[in-house]
Each structure stands twice: as structure tokens, then as C-alpha cells.
DNA sequence: TAGTTATGATACAATAGTGTCTCATATGGT
DNA sequence: ACCATATGAGACACTATTGTATCATAACTA
């Protein structure tokens, strides 16, 4: 593949991700400028705003998929798999933040939705296994647990960026809260 | 105060809240139309988009403040106060969702920031009390707990709207997860 | 009821954003 | 080194959005 295309799309995806995270109203001109790429070039690769957003969403979901792959390969299951998942996904907290902010647009894309569904099913499976094994509270719905992990990753992105808590520390706090809650019992 | 003003600002705040929650890029014309109010009237009350967003943010923070007031009045403290807070704030989950999506704009407003800080301090205080009493894990930073409650309210709004889980059920799941985490130990 | 004023409709100018096209240039593939 | 092509710069038409102004009318206050 042509290096020039690789270079421009890379710059565009990076700049878009960065800008749209902070300002979802940013214009395509603004994004092109920040990417150091001609406006026409942006339109050549992504004919609409929606397409660009979908492309970033797909890239994000791809990164998530790659992070989960080793857990699947190692045939981990139940709570152990969920724990491993959290550790792997923490570095991608910003991607979750992005997906949440653009979700109403991104979810309209077929591929985005398909990837999202696949991953959701995988996570549900792990939670379900954990519940069957008695490791995870059976009263909690898998849907709710997934939603909470998702939004906790959003919090994690906040903590990493705004309050500069080191990643190792965020990881510990994340797992304590997720596994044991806030009470000492 | 003139009833006409009350009526238009009410309609504008409601419509804006509803629309911006789904589409943060909505134009002011769009919002005015949905509010059933002339575009000129919108500009008479809110001269810029930022002002409008700040107004909704202030209203939201006001609702939150009103919900927390009885807990303060009853002099509750520590974990009990946190639990009571969650119950009171759950019906305002959408407001938290809104605040998160427009925060980069809203936080620039002095009044918004002041109200936010006051409430944050109150919540920190409760958590701190809970930790001193030994009810809440001391290893968890108050900042992290607050961030997580905030984003769990976002999840709750998702569950209430998208997956139509009844509020009572969401409340139970919220408290189980927050207090005890997902593990059975 | 009389006077005030907020409103909707409309027009208007100014600006910003979109989407397409052309063309000389530079960069990459082979 | 040669050819193909992706690029940036610029021009262009078009639409959307903003922000202001005017004015007759309706709704409110006292």
C-alpha cells in the first residue's frame, strides 16, 4: 500500500481522535489543519464526517479486540478473565471515552455495530461463567456489570488525564472497587 | 415575573436538554424549533450557545443540590450519607449524563464551576467520614470514588433509557455493586 | 382597561462549513 | 529512472448557521 496514504490517514485518525474527544463539534477543516493535511485529502479518504467517526470507532474497537485476544487464546474464564480484561483495557481508557461521546453517530455504522456486538457477547460470556462458578454475584445482571465497567473506564480516562493519577494506581483502585465495592463490610 | 418569559425559557431549557443529550452538534435554530419558540426569542434569552449550555448546567446542578439538601439537613454522615445520596441522585441520572457530555464547555462558566466545587466538597466530606469511621475502604481515594459514582450514574441513565430496566431494579444493582463489588468473596 | 413588553415572523448581512474540481508538484512503487 | 498517483493549494458554488433588526400582534401587569 502507498506510504503516502498510510501517512495521511494515520495523521487524520490521530488528529480526529484527539480533537473530537475534547470538542465533538470540531469542523473537518479544523481537523485537517491539525492533522497537517490538506482539506481535500481528508475528503478523499472520508467523504463525510460520519465516515471519519466510524473509522476511528472501528480502529478503537480493533484495538480492544486485539487486547482481548490473548485472554481468549489463554482460555481464561469467569472472574479471572474479567480481571485480565480490565488490566488490558485500562491503557485504552481514552478509546472508551471516545466511543461513548460519539456513540449515537458511530452505532449507525454496520461494521461498528457488528464489532461491538461480538465483543459484548464475549464479555457477557465471561461474566456468565463467573456467575455460574459462584465467583460473581448472580443477582447482578451481566448487562449492568458491562455498563459499569464501560463507564468506569471512562472514569479511569478522566483520572489518568485530569488528575494525573499513575496508571498502576488507577488499576489497583479500579480492581478493588470492581471486586469488593467501597465498603469494608 | 412575566409568565411569557417563564414559559419560553422553560420550553427552551427542556428542549435543549433533550436535544443536546442526543446530539451535541444541534444548531440553535433546531433547538428553537423543537421548543416551539421563535429563533429570535432564543437569542433574546441566551445570546450564545455557551450561555444556553451553562444555563442547563446550572439548572442541573441546582436540582442535584436540592436533592442533597435533605441529607445534609438530616445530618447524615459517612456511608449512610453516600447511600442516601445515590438514591436521591438516581432520578437525575440524565442530568449527570448531560453534564458529562457538555462538561468541556460548561466548566468554563464561573457559576457552574463554583456549584460543582461546592457539591464535590460535600461528597468528599461524606466519603472521608466513612473512611475515618472504617466503613469505607481507606485505600480508595475519595476522588476516585466520586468519579466512579459519577460515571455509574451515567451507566444508570443508559440502563433506564436504552434497556428499560425499572428504576427500582437499577437502584438495587447500583448499591450492590457500589458497596460490595461484583465478587461473592 | 390601559400601558408595557415579550413574542413570532420575517428579512438581512456576515460568516463558517461543506463538498467538488483542477492542476502543478512531490512522493512512492516497480 | 520512469510512470502512476496521492497530495496541497486554491477556486468555486452552495448550504447552514449565526447574530441583529424591525414590526405588528398577543399576552401580561398594575
Amino acid at each position: 500500500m502507498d506510504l503516502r496514504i498510510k501517512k495521511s490517514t494515520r495523521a487524520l485518525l490521530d488528529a480526529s481522535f484527539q480533537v473530537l474527544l475534547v470538542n465533538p463539534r470540531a469542523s473537518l477543516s479544523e481537523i485537517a489543519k491539525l492533522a497537517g493535511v490538506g482539506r481535500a485529502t481528508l475528503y478523499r479518504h472520508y467523504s463525510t464526517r460520519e465516515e471519519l467517526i466510524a473509522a476511528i470507532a472501528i480502529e478503537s474497537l480493533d484495538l480492544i479486540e486485539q487486547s482481548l485476544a490473548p485472554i481468549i487464546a489463554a482460555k481464561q474464564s469467569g472472574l479471572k478473565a474479567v480481571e485480565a480484561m480490565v488490566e488490558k483495557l485500562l491503557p485504552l481508557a481514552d478509546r472508551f471515552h471516545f466511543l461513548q461521546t460519539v456513540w449515537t453517530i458511530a452505532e449507525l455504522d454496520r461494521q461498528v455495530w457488528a464489532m461491538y456486538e461480538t465483543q459484548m457477547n464475549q464479555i457477557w460470556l465471561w461474566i456468565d461463567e463467573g456467575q455460574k462458578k459462584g465467583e460473581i454475584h448472580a443477582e447482578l445482571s451481566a448487562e449492568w456489570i458491562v455498563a459499569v465497567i464501560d463507564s468506569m473506564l471512562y472514569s479511569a480516562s478522566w483520572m489518568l488525564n485530569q488528575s494525573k493519577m499513575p496508571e498502576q494506581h488507577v488499576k489497583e483502585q479500579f480492581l478493588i472497587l470492581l471486586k469488593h465495592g467501597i465498603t469494608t463490610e
Side-chain angles (χ1 to χ4, degrees), chain A:
Chain A
M1 209 239 245
D2 199 315
L3 277 187
R4 290 169 292 180
I5 300 181
K6 225 176 223 174
K7 198 175 163 190
S8 351
T9 52
R10 186 70 265 134
L12 283 169
L13 290 176
D14 287 344
S16 313
F17 175 65
Q18 200 191 321
V19 174
L20 293 177
L21 201 56
V22 179
N23 172 25
R25 291 191 76 218
S27 71
L28 296 185
S29 323
E30 211 176 316
I31 290 172
K33 187 179 286 177
L34 218 118
V37 152
R39 199 168 62 88
T41 302
L42 190 160
Y43 281 103
R44 277 180 200 116
H45 293 296
Y46 310 102
S47 49
T48 64
R49 180 190 196 78
E50 287 69 36
E51 220 173 283
L52 175 61
I53 290 179
I56 310 171
I58 288 169
E59 187 185 41
S60 302
L61 288 163
D62 215 44
L63 288 168
I64 295 170
E65 199 172 293
Q66 285 169 33
S67 300
L68 298 185
I71 305 176
I72 301 170
K75 295 200 200 302
Q76 289 202 269
S77 78
L79 183 61
K80 274 276 165 288
V82 173
E83 283 185 58
M85 175 181 82
V86 168
E87 296 208 15
K88 293 284 189 186
L89 294 184
L90 212 50
L92 297 179
D94 278 346
R95 295 282 168 171
F96 279 86
H97 185 163
F98 180 86
L99 287 171
Q100 276 188 29
T101 60
V102 302
W103 191 246
T104 46
I105 298 160
E107 68 173 340
L108 303 174
D109 184 277
R110 283 158 188 272
Q111 198 184 342
V112 167
W113 188 258
M115 293 176 80
Y116 168 74
E117 230 183 359
T118 309
Q119 294 180 12
M120 272 302 181
N121 284 337
Q122 177 59 257
I123 301 172
W124 280 43
L125 189 68
W126 284 331
I127 293 174
D128 200 49
E129 287 167 355
Q131 290 178 324
K132 289 224 169 70
K133 287 204 226 170
E135 298 165 340
I136 296 175
H137 274 303
E139 313 92 76
L140 292 171
S141 87
E143 200 178 1
W144 170 249
I145 294 177
V146 171
V148 169
I149 291 176
D150 193 62
S151 68
M152 276 175 73
L153 284 165
Y154 187 107
S155 297
S157 128
W158 171 273
M159 295 301 282
L160 291 167
N161 298 327
Q162 308 291 316
S163 49
K164 308 285 176 205
M165 191 184 273
E167 190 174 321
Q168 182 59 31
H169 196 200
V170 173
K171 189 181 13 176
E172 286 164 14
Q173 304 253 317
F174 195 116
L175 285 174
I176 293 178
L177 193 29
L178 180 65
K179 289 169 63 183
H180 311 294
I182 63 171
T183 64
T184 49
E185 11 268 286

